[in-house]
């Protein structure tokens, strides 16, 4: 049974008769999805049909066509799985606030279930939908192992403060998923309603305006099955060396699972359970779980409780003060957003990282820190730096438009979840990184060569 701590009620209306609708948003999968499991439990308990719906927007925080392609192809896999389970799947187009309430009316739905997303505009959609509908509206956290609203009721100061809570609560939440519930016990929709067409046709994604500039082919194959295979490959071939190899961009030591996690094709809880089982006791599993659980869930916490997660005002006071004190410092190099985007700075490492992101859709994790810090160093103000980094990250990364991206940028440019360091020009007391430091950490030349060969 779904742990009640996963559930947040957008209203307190009592259950009514009518189909249960699961509005799938962030967790685009059937397997290991607590929101789907909860919706199924409710439909069975109330002896009502279950319907799944997804709302496709023509624009999403600057995402490009290849991101939409990835998502839509993943949704096709999900819709096939649902079809095998005899659960209807509908793809609506447009703003969920305009699409979901009439959809519920059309089905005379008795309940709306959705998954959790801490981004402010998604929360606003849900609040506005809650104001329009007359059926219970429940949100289930299927993205965090420990539900985000439950683990903490405030923005955590650092990984240290969240880690303490994670350690206490993990045994309750990092548990196996229940076995598959047979969906043939579900009541079926009346014949007329089940004939409403799935409003997806293959030509639709081509109408998206944001074409990728200079992008290479999609590096990852989308969908739940591909995600599971990628996870298995990582555990078999890379987990053992993860703690030493993950910070070396010239080799491919990371899991490359972030796109699947971002689009919800893979459940972090499943990944954590598999990694825990494969633990070799030499530290790699622990170091991976630190990133997957503490760091990732800290990002959701940051975005949920800090509506300025994507701008200067979201930084802590000490960081705003120190950055303000250095606003007028002379910048040795100053680049426009276009020069950054075209990767034409004086720094071959920075340019290579930017090119890696544009071409492959995934910049190496270690370089994301260097990349964002140099944007701070080489732009006119910290506010501008934040905006440029957010724009590029959201536009090019497959895993962009994600709490991890906003928290990562706020960490690099605004010292969020970090502490003050030795004061220096432009950065003030924000942690500094430089080219020489990278050279000590990894083979910079080999990385630059690798990217030139793409
Ligand atoms: C400036 C900046 C921007 C970033 N932008 C994004 C982004 O848009 N989307 C995104 O998912 N991550 C982002 N990150 C965090 C991190 O770099 C990526 O999650 C990671 O590189 C993804 O590759 P991977 O799946 O191979 O990672 P692995 O090293 O294999 O880690 C596995 C998973 O752990 C989580 N994780 C790892 N590192 C972090 C971290 N520092 N913070 C939070 N979670 C982490 C991710 O879910 C990741 O998929 C950003 C970090 C910085 C500093």
């Amino acid at each position: 049974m779904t742990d009640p701590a996963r559930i947040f009620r957008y209203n307190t209306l009592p259950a009514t008769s009518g189909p249960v609708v699961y509005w799938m948003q962030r967790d685009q999968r059937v397997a290991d999805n607590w929101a789907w499991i909860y919706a199924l439990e409710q439909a069975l308990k109330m002896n009502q049909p279950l319907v799944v719906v997804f709302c496709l927007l023509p624009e999403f925080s600057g995402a490009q066509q290849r991101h939409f392609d990835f998502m839509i192809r993943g949704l096709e896999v999900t819709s096939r799985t649902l079809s095998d389970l005899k659960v209807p799947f509908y793809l609506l187009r447009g703003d969920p606030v305009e699409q979901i309430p009439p959809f519920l009316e059309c089905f005379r739905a008795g309940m709306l279930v959705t998954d959790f997303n801490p981004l402010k505009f998604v929360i606003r959609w849900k609040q506005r939908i809650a104001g329009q509908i007359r059926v219970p509206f429940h949100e289930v956290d299927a993205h965090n192992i420990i539900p985000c609203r439950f683990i903490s009721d405030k923005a955590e100061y650092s990984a240290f403060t969240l880690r303490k809570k994670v350690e206490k609560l993990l045994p309750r939440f990092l548990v196996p998923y229940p076995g598959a519930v047979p969906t043939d016990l579900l009541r079926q929709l009346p014949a007329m309603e089940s004939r409403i067409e799935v409003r997806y046709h293959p030509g639709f994604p081509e109408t998206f305006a944001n074409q990728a500039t200079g992008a290479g082919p999609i590096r990852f194959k989308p969908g739940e099955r591909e995600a599971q295979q990628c996870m298995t490959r990582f555990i078999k071939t890379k987990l053992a060396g993860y703690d030493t190899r993950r910070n070396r961009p010239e080799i491919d030591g990371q899991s490359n699972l972030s796109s699947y996690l971002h689009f919800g094709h893979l459940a972090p809880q499943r990944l954590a359970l598999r990694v825990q089982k494969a633990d070799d006791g030499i530290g790699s599993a622990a170091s991976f779980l630190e990133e997957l659980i503490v760091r990732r869930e800290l990002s959701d916490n940051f975005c949920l409780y800090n509506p300025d997660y994507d701008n200067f005002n979201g930084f802590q006071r000490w960081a705003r003060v120190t950055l303000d004190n250095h606003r007028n410092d002379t910048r040795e190099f100053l680049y426009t957003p276009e020069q950054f985007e075209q990767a034409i700075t004086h720094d071959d490492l920075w340019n290579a990282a930017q090119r890696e992101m544009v071409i492959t859709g995934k910049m190496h994790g270690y370089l994301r820190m260097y990349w964002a810090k140099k944007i701070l160093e080489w732009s006119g103000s910290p506010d501008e730096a934040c905006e440029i980094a957010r724009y590029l990250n959201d536009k090019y990364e497959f895993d962009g438009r994600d709490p991890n991206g906003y928290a990562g940028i706020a960490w690099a440019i605004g010292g969020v979840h970090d502490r003050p360091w030795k004061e220096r020009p432009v950065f003030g007391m924000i942690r500094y990184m430089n080219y020489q430091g990278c050279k000590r950490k990894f083979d910079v030349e080999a990385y630059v060569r690798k990217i030139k060969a793409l």
Side-chain angles (χ1 to χ4, degrees), residues 242 254-256 258 291 296 362 365 368 393 399 404-405:
Y242 176 80
Q254 292 190 283
S255 71
N256 296 325
S258 55
E291 302 302 325
R296 196 183 52 81
K362 184 175 184 276
R368 295 191 197 205
N393 197 79
D399 60 26
N404 280 350

Side-chain angles (χ1 to χ4, degrees), residues 256-274:
N256 296 325
L257 287 167
S258 55
S259 310
Y260 296 119
L261 293 168
H262 167 71
F263 286 100
H265 297 173
L266 180 67
Q269 185 169 336
R270 170 66 61 197
L271 176 56
L273 287 165
R274 289 278 309 270

Side-chain angles (χ1 to χ4, degrees), residues 22-29 33 35 54 60 71 75 114-119 122 125-126 140-144 148 259-266 268 296-297 299-301 303 401-404:
Y22 168 28
W23 166 28
M24 182 180 275
Q25 199 267 322
R26 191 187 194 195
D27 291 283
Q28 298 163 22
R29 63 181 183 279
N33 179 345
F54 187 89
F60 195 93
M71 183 177 79
L75 283 170
T114 193
D115 41 48
F116 168 77
N117 189 331
L119 298 186
V122 180
W125 287 342
K126 291 177 185 171
V140 184
D141 192 338
H143 217 80
N144 289 286
C148 187
S259 310
Y260 296 119
L261 293 168
H262 167 71
F263 286 100
H265 297 173
L266 180 67
R296 196 183 52 81
E297 304 205 351
S299 302
D300 265 28
N301 166 276
C303 291
R401 307 153 305 282
D402 187 283
N404 280 350

Side-chain angles (χ1 to χ4, degrees), residues 389-406:
R390 191 208 55 74
Y391 164 78
L392 295 174
N393 197 79
D394 278 357
K395 180 168 176 184
Y396 289 106
E397 299 281 19
F398 267 89
D399 60 26
R401 307 153 305 282
D402 187 283
N404 280 350
Y406 304 123

Side-chain angles (χ1 to χ4, degrees), residues 4-25:
R6 291 202 176 276
I7 300 154
F8 174 79
R9 289 173 167 74
Y10 268 90
N11 61 28
T12 50
L13 293 170
T16 50
S17 106
V20 173
V21 172
Y22 168 28
W23 166 28
M24 182 180 275
Q25 199 267 322

Side-chain angles (χ1 to χ4, degrees), residues 325-379:
N325 288 341
H326 289 271
R327 269 183 193 271
N328 298 326
D329 291 358
T330 306
R331 272 77 175 151
E332 197 183 349
F333 300 95
L334 202 55
Y335 296 109
T336 62
E338 292 72 29
Q339 287 170 314
F340 281 120
E341 188 160 9
Q342 288 162 25
I344 48 172
T345 75
H346 65 283
D347 178 325
D348 62 347
L349 176 58
W350 195 95
N351 295 345
Q354 169 70 15
R355 288 191 67 234
E356 179 177 33
M357 175 173 71
V358 170
I359 296 168
T360 70
K362 184 175 184 276
M363 187 191 300
H364 188 278
Y366 187 80
L367 283 170
R368 295 191 197 205
M369 301 188 279
Y370 179 77
W371 172 86
K373 284 186 180 292
K374 292 297 148 187
I375 297 179
L376 169 63
E377 194 173 340
W378 304 329
S379 38

Side-chain angles (χ1 to χ4, degrees), residues 126-269:
K126 291 177 185 171
Q127 289 165 338
R128 289 174 61 201
I129 289 172
Q132 288 184 47
I133 64 176
R134 287 176 304 237
V135 296
F137 181 13
H138 297 179
E139 173 195 85
V140 184
D141 192 338
H143 217 80
N144 289 286
I145 297 171
I146 303 170
C148 187
R149 294 182 190 273
F150 180 76
I151 190 167
S152 178
D153 58 4
K154 60 173 193 300
E156 291 294 326
Y157 188 75
S158 66
F160 175 75
T161 60
L162 187 78
R163 193 178 301 112
K164 285 202 293 195
K165 297 180 180 177
V166 167
E167 281 164 5
K168 201 163 126 220
L169 289 168
L170 207 57
R172 170 169 166 190
F173 291 100
L174 188 52
V175 291
Y177 286 95
V181 181
T183 43
D184 47 13
L185 297 177
L186 273 173
R187 199 164 135 192
Q188 292 300 305
L189 276 178
M192 190 195 73
E193 285 166 356
S194 63
R195 267 191 271 119
I196 297 176
E197 261 179 53
V198 176
R199 282 179 267 174
Y200 163 66
H201 61 88
F204 177 58
E206 275 148 36
T207 61
F208 289 114
N210 270 324
Q211 299 291 333
T213 30
I218 297 184
R219 179 171 164 190
F220 315 102
K221 290 188 189 148
E224 299 186 36
R225 272 188 292 271
E226 289 294 337
Q228 300 267 347
Q229 283 168 14
C230 187
M231 167 176 72
T232 302
R233 269 198 308 277
F234 166 68
I235 291 171
K236 269 196 191 152
T237 61
K238 293 207 267 179
L239 177 63
Y242 176 80
D243 55 340
T244 51
R245 294 166 60 91
R246 75 189 171 97
N247 279 337
R248 293 186 45 202
E250 78 279 28
I251 53 178
D252 186 20
Q254 292 190 283
S255 71
N256 296 325
L257 287 167
S258 55
S259 310
Y260 296 119
L261 293 168
H262 167 71
F263 286 100
H265 297 173
L266 180 67
Q269 185 169 336

